[in-house]
Amino acid sequence: MTHDLLVCEDLQVVYADGTAALRGVHLTLGAGIVGLVGANGAGKTTLLRVLAGILAPSAGRALIGGRSAIAHRVAVGVGSIPDAARLPAYLTVEGFLDGLRRAAGSPGETAVEAEIRHALDIDGLAQRPLPALSLGQRRRVELAAALIGDPDLLLLDEPTNGLDPLAMTALRSGLRAARRRDRLIIVSSHHLDELQRIADWIVLMHEGRIVASEAAAAMLARGPSLEEVFMTAAGGAGA
Amino acid sequence: MPERVPLHWHLARWRREAPGPRGLLWIAAVTLLLMLPVERFGADLSWATQARILVNLGVALAAIAIGRDAGRPDDAERWLLLQGQSPADWALARWVANLLPLALLAVLWAAIVFTVTALTQEQPMPWSGVLGLALHLALTAMLLTLILLTLGCLGARQTAEGMMLLLILTFLLPLVADRLPAVVADGARLVLPPLDAIATFRDAATDGAWRELLNAALRLATWSGVLLALALTAANRRVPARPSRVSVTSG
């Protein structure tokens, strides 16, 4: 992994009620699939929101390709699934994806987007109204939407939550199809076994800080499973 | 080149969702009320005057029903933000998309008032009166939806209540202006919605009084322009969210 795509320097976020969600995050990442692991409240979602350029840090900075995350979002867009946002109820799958494509300035569906759409198995859903989709279909459409505009940074917060094994397999295929040499994909998930299968790099977070960041193979060599490594690292950091 | 998708999506929302069965029923009910040439508010008022009051109330209620959420963050907006589009674009498109059906409603109701007076009254309303009424309703809808949009963009939760408060103050001002210091009364006239300018604009347009027309148009345009600029600036300041300026010591 080349470490030049994402650089976080002393990133801090303190919410208005005084909660410190990020307490000085230092992180450097390059292209590949990165698994972001941490307990609830570790700061994963806040970190992803800062990287998406929709939350300004209280201090420190996040640079994507040398630009601030906010400038990066405005200039080229970011591939992400907005947290807690639903899909617009008045659009069909095709209308939604086509609208995002036009918003991103894409002249039409690229070959890569078509390949991902096929991998995600949403070819037959084009005319379906968005509210009529099942949870698994919705997640796959959300991933296809996040990949529109061919973003170099893709941020996915708990994409596998509530999915059945079939939907998880389709999502995994989509993620693998989305992997490319100059794209950084950060996936936050509690499904550690799932992350173990797809991630090239693992970042462990605990109480607003990064407690470990290294290649997945190296991290897995430290214990029988990612879960064990995470428990040990979190325990060490909390002590 | 990125396209401005928000208006396209807002119009799709109108086609799919709005006004919905309840909205249609409500519009039909007001329309039916208008078509009944009966006394509503007392014998001192002519039927046409009563109809004007009713449609003005109808437009105010329709503006609230349609526009009360206009300035608030929206699910579809969040997706477009990630593609680099601005919240101001979304807010502006939503205001325009809300205004178009209200303007159509204004024309519809003015036409009904004209038809009923033509069929039932001894002195039918002149064409200029109908056009004046449609113009009055459309401009009222524009001001009211703009107030709702601005309050929403500024983060107000009770946008309809805020708008009603502004309207009440506007109606009260002429009654209390004499008792207020001149600078306060003048300041309030500048800040409060220029509903009187709408009436002046309508009368000047139907009478051909171009000087008054220009003055009223200028006042309406200035007030609306300032409010719209305030709304769009506030919308753009919402994203990225700024949690706090306070930082913690790392380590």
Side-chain angles (χ1 to χ4, degrees):
Chain A
M1 175 177 266
T2 53
H3 293 88
D4 53 2
L5 220 158
L6 168 72
V7 178
C8 295
E9 293 171 352
D10 195 23
L11 207 54
Q12 301 176 30
V13 170
V14 185
Y15 287 112
D17 64 358
T19 308
L22 297 183
R23 300 163 178 261
V25 166
H26 293 270
L27 186 62
T28 310
L29 294 170
I33 298 183
V34 174
L36 184 60
V37 180
N40 287 335
K44 304 187 299 293
T45 298
T46 300
L47 178 60
L48 292 181
R49 292 182 70 208
V50 171
L51 298 182
I54 54 174
L55 178 67
S58 306
R61 60 182 189 162
L63 301 176
I64 298 154
R67 270 190 291 229
S68 79
I70 295 161
H72 180 265
R73 173 180 59 81
V74 173
V76 294
V78 60
S80 178
I81 299 172
D83 53 300
R86 291 169 301 175
L87 294 169
Y90 42 85
L91 294 173
T92 60
V93 171
E94 189 179 33
F96 176 58
L97 296 179
D98 185 54
L100 287 179
R101 204 171 288 124
R102 286 187 291 122
S106 301
E109 189 178 51
T110 62
V112 177
E113 283 172 6
E115 185 193 334
I116 292 166
R117 179 167 49 78
H118 186 68
L120 287 168
D121 195 22
I122 55 171
D123 288 330
L125 303 176
Q127 297 309 318
R128 293 275 289 277
L130 291 171
L133 301 179
S134 69
L135 178 62
Q137 290 168 336
R138 210 159 58 224
R139 285 282 151 78
R140 283 180 276 145
V141 169
E142 286 173 349
L143 180 58
L147 281 159
I148 278 173
D150 206 17
D152 49 11
L153 177 63
L154 180 61
L155 306 167
L156 303 172
D157 195 4
E158 309 283 357
T160 51
N161 262 9
L163 294 188
D164 61 42
L166 275 178
M168 254 191 216
T169 306
L171 200 68
R172 198 186 310 133
S173 303
L175 273 179
R176 285 191 175 130
R179 187 201 302 252
R180 63 167 208 218
R181 274 196 321 164
D182 55 346
R183 174 177 284 151
L184 169 59
I185 303 174
I186 303 181
V187 184
S188 144
S189 180
H190 288 301
H191 289 129
L192 302 188
D193 51 337
E194 190 62 29
L195 281 183
Q196 206 170 312
R197 295 167 80 166
I198 56 167
D200 308 309
W201 195 269
I202 300 287
V203 173
L204 301 185
M205 286 192 78
H206 185 66
E207 293 181 352
R209 292 189 181 90
I210 306 292
V211 292
S213 173
E214 59 185 304
M219 192 167 285
L220 286 167
R222 285 164 40 189
S225 68
L226 189 53
E227 191 175 347
E228 290 286 332
V229 176
F230 169 64
M231 296 304 285
T232 308
Chain B
M1 191 65 184
E3 282 181 44
R4 294 202 157 172
V5 179
L7 188 59
H8 179 79
W9 279 13
H10 283 307
L11 294 177
R13 179 171 60 86
W14 267 102
R15 282 197 299 272
R16 292 251 175 184
E17 286 186 348
R22 283 173 66 186
L24 281 174
L25 270 176
W26 186 84
I27 291 168
V30 175
T31 307
L32 195 65
L33 270 178
L34 277 177
M35 294 176 81
L36 299 174
V38 294
E39 287 183 3
R40 297 184 187 86
F41 305 117
D44 294 345
L45 298 173
S46 70
W47 182 88
T49 306
Q50 294 176 35
R52 277 195 201 99
I53 294 171
L54 189 63
V55 287
N56 269 292
L57 280 173
V59 160
L61 290 174
I64 289 173
I66 290 170
R68 67 185 311 159
D69 295 332
R72 293 181 191 149
D74 182 280
D75 287 327
E77 176 192 10
R78 292 190 180 104
W79 285 97
L80 292 176
L81 290 181
L82 293 169
Q83 296 296 344
Q85 302 232 336
S86 80
D89 268 1
W90 180 261
L92 181 63
R94 181 144 192 190
W95 178 58
V96 171
N98 285 344
L99 198 50
L100 291 175
L102 283 173
L104 283 177
L105 201 58
V107 172
L108 170 75
W109 282 345
I112 288 171
V113 172
F114 170 75
T115 308
V116 175
T117 53
L119 292 175
T120 62
Q121 306 296 303
E122 285 178 9
Q123 286 186 314
M125 187 185 275
W127 272 109
S128 59
V130 183
L131 292 176
L133 179 58
L135 192 65
H136 185 108
L137 294 175
L139 287 173
T140 304
M142 182 194 79
L143 282 196
L144 298 186
T145 48
L146 191 50
I147 293 169
L148 291 166
L149 176 82
T150 308
L151 291 173
C153 287
L154 288 169
R157 288 182 183 275
Q158 312 293 333
T159 54
E161 290 79 354
M163 185 191 81
M164 295 304 288
L165 181 65
L166 280 176
L167 293 183
I168 290 168
L169 290 174
T170 307
F171 290 127
L172 284 179
L173 184 63
L175 305 176
V176 297
D178 292 345
R179 291 174 222 165
L180 295 173
V183 69
V184 175
D186 289 346
R189 270 190 210 98
L190 277 177
V191 171
L192 291 172
L195 295 178
D196 56 329
I198 294 178
T200 308
F201 185 87
R202 178 202 61 208
D203 295 342
T206 49
D207 297 345
W210 302 113
R211 197 182 180 86
E212 283 79 10
L213 182 79
L214 201 64
N215 278 338
L218 195 64
R219 195 166 155 225
L220 283 171
T222 307
W223 196 87
S224 306
V226 169
L227 211 63
L228 188 59
L230 181 64
L232 300 186
T233 305
N236 267 346
R237 285 187 61 80
R238 215 172 46 211
V239 182
R242 296 177 195 283
S244 168
R245 292 186 186 281
V246 184
S247 67
V248 288
T249 308
S250 61

